[in-house]
Amino acid sequence: MNEGRTKRRHGRSETAQGYLLVATPFAYALLLLAVPLGAIVMFSFWTQDYLTLDKTLTLKNYREAFSEPLYGELLIRSLLVSGAVTLATVLTAFPIAYFVSFYVPPERKSMWIFLITIPFWTSYLIRVFLWKVILGYNGVFNTTLLGLGIIDEPLTFILYNVNAVVITLAHAYAPFAILPIFVALEKIDRTLLEAGRDLGESYVMTFFRVTLPLAMPGVVAAVLIVFIPTIGDYVTPRLVGGPDGLMIANMIQTQFLKLNNAPMGAALAVLAMAMVGAVALVFLALTRRFLRGQ
Amino acid sequence: MKRPLRVYAILYLAFLYAPIALLPLFAFNDGTVIAFPLRGFTWEWFRQLAEIPALHAAVLNSLTIALSSAALATCLGILAARAATRFAFPGKKGIMGLIMLPLVLPEIIVAVSLLVVLLQLGLSLGAWTVILGHVLICTPFSIAILNSAFQSLDLSLEEAAIDLGETRWSSFRLITLPLVMPGIISSLLISFTISLDEFIIAFFLTGTEPTLPVYLWGQLRFPQKIPVVMALGTILVVASVILLTIAEYFRRRGAARTGQADTGGFL
């Protein structure tokens, strides 16, 4: 009984200490993230005429967002681009993660991961700009292909359109896809694979029936961590997207900084978030069976 | 399977490094057009960098912001990572979820929501508002790094120190802190790198004094200024590679010190 009491007292002080420590970062996130996110939602129900802000609640911005074709087009395009980027990034990232996890000797794994993450940490703006240089009419890609005699005239479908946005973003988010998949693959007990093969499964079947399902938590994490932030990318569509490659973030920026219509920008931001949120939830529901026990 | 995968991995690395590899080529190229063929070797663009006062102001501004953000984010990161790894408390998942949220939130959402609140409060924008935003996005990275540092810590070491008469604080200072120090340094460097490179939040919250990426963004519109930007980019890449190598060194040393298996990676 005595022991129970000490335990309880100990438990309480554990809780108190935990709260004490987490209080500051939590307060920071609450004040500078939760409150502003709430404010954005509230703003989306207000209206603004140049500098005067009308605080009566109205659905006017949302009605405009749904009736004005441009907004709808940008929202749908952003969602499709994010989806394409996610698909491209995760599909190309998986073999890399698999290679590093299964075929690179343990002592060299962290070097490979380090090599993969370096480009991600170098100036984002300049990296995106350089894709423009690579994909351009007189760019590196076209000049090389022309030089090799593979094509007769420069390819034009690779810059200033959605393709360029997808390639550039797939490059930008590569480590975000590789790392979670790599971590999931590393956790797989290798004896399970041996067991699979000892029981007569082929390499391919073992991969699909053992490795892939066990790697799914990493794949799901990769999908979410690429899909959600991509929808808000501003720089890439602006630099390599051309007029038909612009995305919703460009419109949000225009509403806030150029048209002085923060409430409309806020409504578009809320809509974009609601859309990715909905897609992410559906995706999670569909993949839930792979995540059981995680 | 090994051979085709290795070939693929090497091609993929080439894809990852393509933009960075081009940077020095154009930075030293004696021509104003950023396209092949290259013209010849020149230091001209680097020389011009030294003569742009607006650039120097932007660099100074960015360094101030990055140093402050790194220090603040790492302090918050230490508190949160320690709480998350050492203590159990109700609502932990929700609380940590909110703190980690900026990791997946599009930066433009963070930027506009902060902007709206700051303007409504009638506060003027400046370096400090950028710091507020950067601390928010750096803290989750700091926590991710420090979590693994704290997690691998043997709790009995601290308990032993307390049993031997140290207070909670002194045992933390004498035992825990030195063991997680490599993680702290790594977190400082990563946060510094993130803040130095961050564009969107700075773009919205910087006011009249641009940070380095905001200044760069302005320059990208002028074709004649691109070679100078390439030179600046080369310096930035070299600087971040050095910072990251140091961060990686400390992260590995930390992993070795606490006897944890080294899986690599910051995330």
Side-chain angles (χ1 to χ4, degrees):
Chain A
M1 209 163 108
N2 208 350
E3 204 186 342
R5 205 179 302 144
T6 10
K7 210 173 194 174
R8 212 177 308 134
R9 200 171 57 218
H10 195 64
R12 196 155 50 220
S13 82
E14 287 267 302
T15 309
Q17 281 184 58
Y19 280 136
L20 197 65
L21 278 171
V22 89
T24 321
F26 182 57
Y28 192 90
L30 209 58
L31 282 177
L32 286 132
L33 186 66
V35 170
L37 287 176
I40 259 290
V41 174
M42 200 163 71
F43 242 78
S44 69
F45 293 107
W46 294 350
T47 46
Q48 185 167 357
D49 192 15
Y50 292 103
L51 289 175
T52 45
L53 195 64
D54 182 356
K55 295 190 181 175
T56 34
L57 298 180
T58 163
L59 284 170
K60 184 175 164 288
N61 297 318
Y62 289 98
R63 268 200 299 275
E64 203 178 318
F66 285 113
S67 57
E68 171 73 54
L70 178 63
Y71 296 144
E73 196 185 313
L74 283 175
L75 281 166
I76 298 292
R77 183 190 296 152
S78 306
L79 207 58
L80 291 177
V81 168
S82 293
V85 169
T86 309
L87 196 69
T89 313
V90 173
L91 284 183
T92 52
F94 193 95
I96 292 294
Y98 187 82
F99 171 74
V100 178
S101 180
F102 281 75
Y103 292 111
V104 170
E107 68 277 9
R108 299 186 60 185
K109 278 182 184 171
S110 57
M111 189 204 72
W112 269 87
I113 295 296
F114 185 57
L115 274 180
I116 288 164
T117 38
I118 284 183
F120 167 72
W121 297 110
T122 52
S123 178
Y124 177 58
L125 279 182
I126 293 178
R127 253 187 304 149
V128 175
F129 180 80
L130 282 162
W131 276 107
K132 193 168 144 173
V133 174
I134 294 174
L135 301 172
Y137 191 79
N138 288 319
V140 179
F141 193 67
N142 274 326
T143 336
T144 314
L145 288 186
L146 280 173
L148 292 173
I150 296 172
I151 51 173
D152 297 327
E153 52 185 278
L155 305 171
T156 50
F157 63 86
I158 47 174
L159 186 63
Y160 298 128
N161 56 31
V162 174
N163 295 338
V165 177
V166 174
I167 295 175
T168 309
L169 285 174
H171 179 264
Y173 281 94
F176 275 132
I178 296 173
L179 291 178
I181 300 174
F182 171 73
V183 170
L185 288 172
E186 282 291 276
K187 283 188 193 148
I188 294 177
D189 186 351
R190 301 302 198 255
T191 54
L192 288 177
L193 307 181
E194 280 167 30
R197 281 197 292 272
D198 287 347
L199 292 170
E201 294 274 33
S202 68
Y203 275 89
V204 177
M205 286 310 285
T206 319
F207 176 81
F208 281 108
R209 293 176 56 165
V210 183
T211 315
L212 194 57
L214 287 173
M216 273 314 273
V219 176
V220 171
V223 166
L224 293 180
I225 211 166
V226 176
F227 181 70
I228 302 175
T230 318
I231 196 140
D233 198 87
Y234 171 82
V235 174
T236 304
R238 190 63 198 284
L239 280 183
V240 303
D244 296 329
L246 288 181
M247 284 165 61
I248 195 66
N250 306 95
M251 184 48 85
I252 295 175
Q253 186 263 348
T254 309
Q255 295 289 349
F256 271 95
L257 301 185
K258 299 234 174 81
L259 300 177
N260 251 326
N261 192 350
M264 189 67 223
L268 293 175
V270 170
L271 280 177
M273 285 318 293
M275 276 167 43
V276 276
V279 174
L281 285 179
V282 169
F283 179 74
L284 271 177
L286 288 177
T287 51
R288 204 179 45 190
R289 66 192 189 93
F290 293 110
L291 307 180
R292 221 174 289 143
Q294 289 293 320
Chain B
M1 268 319 273
K2 186 172 179 176
R3 189 174 294 268
L5 269 178
R6 173 174 282 278
V7 172
Y8 176 78
I10 286 163
L11 287 176
Y12 195 86
L13 277 185
F15 163 69
L16 282 184
Y17 279 85
I20 307 174
L22 289 172
L23 205 49
L25 289 184
F26 292 117
F28 290 107
N29 180 31
D30 190 10
T32 49
V33 184
I34 304 297
F36 285 116
L38 300 174
R39 296 277 182 81
F41 184 87
T42 181
W43 281 101
E44 172 63 19
W45 315 122
F46 287 90
R47 199 188 54 74
Q48 282 189 19
L49 281 179
E51 294 167 356
I52 312 169
L55 169 66
H56 303 162
V59 170
L60 204 64
N61 196 20
S62 266
L63 287 178
T64 319
I65 291 172
L67 282 173
S68 322
S69 306
L72 288 170
T74 304
C75 287
L76 293 180
I78 293 173
L79 291 171
R82 168 83 173 163
T85 50
R86 171 71 179 77
F87 300 103
F89 47 91
K92 182 160 137 182
K93 256 195 162 162
I95 291 174
M96 292 310 293
L98 177 68
I99 300 173
M100 296 302 274
L101 187 62
L103 202 61
V104 288
L105 215 55
E107 282 177 0
I108 193 158
I109 302 287
V110 177
V112 293
S113 59
L114 270 175
L115 179 74
V116 156
V117 170
L118 291 168
L119 292 183
Q120 275 310 99
L121 294 174
L123 300 167
S124 61
L125 301 177
W128 74 279
T129 47
V130 181
I131 295 174
L132 287 183
H134 281 183
V135 170
L136 208 54
I137 57 159
C138 291
T139 305
F141 283 93
S142 166
I143 293 174
I145 295 165
L146 289 166
N147 259 348
S148 67
F150 276 116
Q151 230 151 32
S152 51
L153 209 64
D154 190 350
L155 272 183
S156 55
L157 287 177
E158 235 177 280
E159 275 161 19
I162 292 171
D163 287 347
L164 291 170
E166 294 289 345
T167 62
R168 267 191 186 286
W169 166 244
S170 66
S171 76
F172 178 77
R173 193 170 54 87
L174 295 170
I175 311 288
T176 315
L177 210 54
L179 283 171
V180 295
M181 193 44 93
I184 293 175
I185 294 172
S186 170
S187 149
L188 282 170
L189 291 168
I190 294 292
S191 304
F192 180 85
T193 317
I194 293 172
S195 168
L196 199 63
D197 190 39
E198 200 288 326
F199 169 68
I200 282 289
I201 292 174
F203 185 48
F204 277 85
L205 301 181
T206 193
T208 49
E209 294 164 24
T211 64
L212 184 57
V214 176
Y215 172 82
L216 266 175
W217 177 253
Q219 301 301 299
L220 289 178
R221 274 179 298 158
F222 308 109
Q224 72 274 20
K225 296 201 172 145
I226 301 301
V228 180
V229 172
M230 296 290 118
L232 181 62
T234 308
I235 295 175
L236 284 177
V237 168
V238 172
S240 11
V241 170
I242 292 173
L243 279 179
L244 292 168
T245 312
I246 299 173
E248 171 72 3
Y249 168 76
F250 277 106
R251 197 192 56 74
R252 281 192 198 182
R253 216 175 75 174
R257 199 183 280 188
T258 49
Q260 137 204 43
D262 186 10
T263 48
F266 298 112
L267 295 169

